[in-house]
Amino acid sequence: MNRLVLCTVFTLLSAQSGAHETMSVRELMLSFGTDLDTAEVRRETISPGLHVLYAAGGNVAVSIGEQGVLMVDSQFPEMIPKLKAAIADLGGGDVDFTINTHSHFDHVNGNPLLGREGSWMISQLNTRNLMLSARTVDLLGRLHTQGPYPTEALPVVTFEDRMQVFFNGQRIDIMHFGPGHTSGDAVVIFRGDNAVHMGDLLTGGFPFIDTNFGGQLDGLIKFCKAVLANIDENTTVIPGHGPLKSYQDLADHVVMMETVGERIRTMIDRGYSLEDVLEANPAGDFAASRGDPTLFIHGAYRTLTE
C-alpha cells in the first residue's frame, strides 16, 4: 500500500492500540501523512516514451507516443488532473488505455474518472471480479472498505494468464502467474523499453499479502520468480511504491521472502502462535533496509496456517 514503511509502522501501532475503525480514503491517507489535495506529482523518465509518475498512491507508468497514452494504475480521482497535467507536459493527451496491476483502492480509484473520459481499462480477470463487490482492506486495526465500483471503472478487457498489447511501437506483455499480493496481480512488461511494472508484488519494503483479496505467500514467491524468468539483468523494475528497482533487487526480494517464509513455517510446525512468531521476529535481519515486518508476518502466518 501507500509508502509501505509508513504503513507497517502505522499498523503496528494500530494493532497495539486495538483500534478497529472503518476509515475513508482521505482519513487513511492522512494517517500516512498524505493529503490528496496538496500531493504533487514527481516524474522520472526511463526512456523518451516511458515515464514513471510518483504521487499519492501506487506508482504510475505512462507510455506516450504516436498512438496515444497508455497508463498503468490510476491512483485517486483527486490525483487524475495532476497526473494528466504531467502527461501533457511530457507531450501526451488523453489516456487511451489504463492497465490495473491489481484491485486495491490506491491503484484503481482513479478508474471512474478516467473511464468517463473514455479510457479503456485492462486487468487480470480476478481483479475485475474483486472490483464487483464491496471488499475490506485490513491494515491490522485500520480498515477501509472499497467498492463495488461503477461500470465506468471496471476493466472492459480481461485475461487469465497473459495478453499482449502492441502500442507506441512496442510489444507490451501483461502477465499473471497465480495469487500473490492479491488473486488478480498483473505485471506489465514494456519490451521495447526493457522495463516491468510490478504493482505491489514488489514495493520499497516488506510485501503486504492481502489474504482478504486472495493473496498467498508461496504464490507471491512463485510469481516473482516467474517475472525474473521473463526479464533480464538490465530490466528496469518499477515497484508498486517507492523508487525504481533492478533485477537484483527483485531477486533479493525473492530470497528474503523464501528465508522468512521458511522460518515462519518452521515455527508453525513447532506449534508457535502468531504472537510467538511476532515476538521471535523472523524478519528482523531484513528490517534495516525494509522497515517494520509486522504486516508481512501477519499475512505470511495466515496463508501458511489456513
Side-chain angles (χ1 to χ4, degrees):
M1 306 302 293
N2 185 55
R3 292 180 176 86
L4 191 58
V5 173
L6 287 175
C7 177
T8 51
V9 171
F10 178 71
T11 53
L12 175 59
L13 295 175
S14 299
Q16 291 173 339
S17 68
H20 293 280
E21 302 176 10
T22 299
M23 306 176 72
S24 68
V25 168
R26 187 168 294 275
E27 290 170 335
L28 191 58
M29 297 306 294
L30 284 172
S31 74
F32 299 151
T34 298
D35 186 335
L36 296 177
D37 292 330
T38 60
E40 298 182 352
V41 177
R42 181 175 63 87
R43 63 196 191 208
E44 185 170 2
T45 295
I46 293 176
S47 74
L50 182 64
H51 313 270
V52 181
L53 305 181
Y54 307 95
N59 291 341
V60 172
V62 181
S63 170
I64 300 173
E66 291 185 359
Q67 289 180 283
V69 176
L70 180 147
M71 192 163 86
V72 180
D73 286 340
S74 65
Q75 294 206 351
F76 304 101
E78 295 88 344
M79 300 307 301
I80 293 300
K82 303 175 186 181
L83 292 169
K84 289 180 66 178
I87 291 170
D89 286 344
L90 293 166
D94 292 337
V95 178
D96 300 287
F97 295 98
T98 302
I99 301 172
N100 293 134
T101 61
H102 63 288
S103 55
H104 279 150
F105 64 93
D106 57 328
H107 295 257
V108 303
N109 272 18
N111 278 23
L113 183 54
L114 288 172
R116 287 194 294 271
E117 294 177 349
S119 184
W120 298 100
M121 311 297 167
I122 301 171
S123 79
Q124 202 276 337
L125 178 60
N126 292 338
T127 284
R128 188 184 196 280
N129 290 337
L130 287 168
M131 294 174 68
L132 289 173
S133 61
R135 196 167 293 265
T136 298
V137 181
D138 184 355
L139 297 175
L140 302 184
R142 291 296 185 268
L143 310 177
H144 171 67
T145 300
Q146 62 175 69
Y149 286 86
T151 300
E152 61 267 26
L154 297 173
V156 298
V157 178
T158 65
F159 67 99
E160 293 192 8
D161 299 319
R162 63 182 63 201
M163 68 175 291
Q164 294 178 334
V165 176
F166 293 87
F167 193 71
N168 286 339
Q170 68 176 307
R171 190 182 89 205
I172 302 170
D173 291 334
I174 315 172
M175 298 182 171
H176 170 76
F177 299 105
H181 170 59
T182 69
S183 66
D185 300 296
V187 295
V188 185
I189 305 177
F190 297 88
R191 292 298 183 185
D193 295 308
N194 198 14
V196 57
H197 194 307
M198 293 291 298
D200 282 359
L201 296 158
L202 176 69
T203 66
F206 288 101
F208 171 31
I209 303 168
D210 193 342
T211 55
N212 287 351
F213 282 65
Q216 297 179 10
L217 173 61
D218 290 340
L220 179 56
I221 294 170
K222 174 185 175 183
F223 203 125
C224 290
K225 284 183 173 181
V227 175
L228 287 169
N230 279 276
I231 60 175
D232 61 52
E233 294 183 356
N234 297 314
T235 302
T236 299
V237 179
I238 306 167
H241 300 270
L244 295 180
K245 301 287 186 180
S246 67
Y247 177 98
Q248 188 59 52
D249 290 328
L250 180 56
D252 291 344
H253 184 61
V254 170
V255 171
M256 180 278 295
M257 291 189 292
E258 288 181 323
T259 301
V260 177
E262 188 56 36
R263 291 171 181 171
I264 294 174
R265 199 186 309 270
T266 298
M267 292 176 186
I268 291 170
D269 290 342
R270 293 174 178 173
Y272 280 42
S273 66
L274 173 59
E275 291 71 22
D276 294 332
V277 173
L278 289 168
E279 185 176 355
N281 195 13
D285 50 339
F286 296 98
S289 60
R290 298 174 183 269
D292 190 280
T294 303
L295 191 63
F296 172 48
I297 293 173
H298 270 262
Y301 185 91
R302 183 173 178 182
T303 65
L304 293 174
T305 54
E306 289 185 348

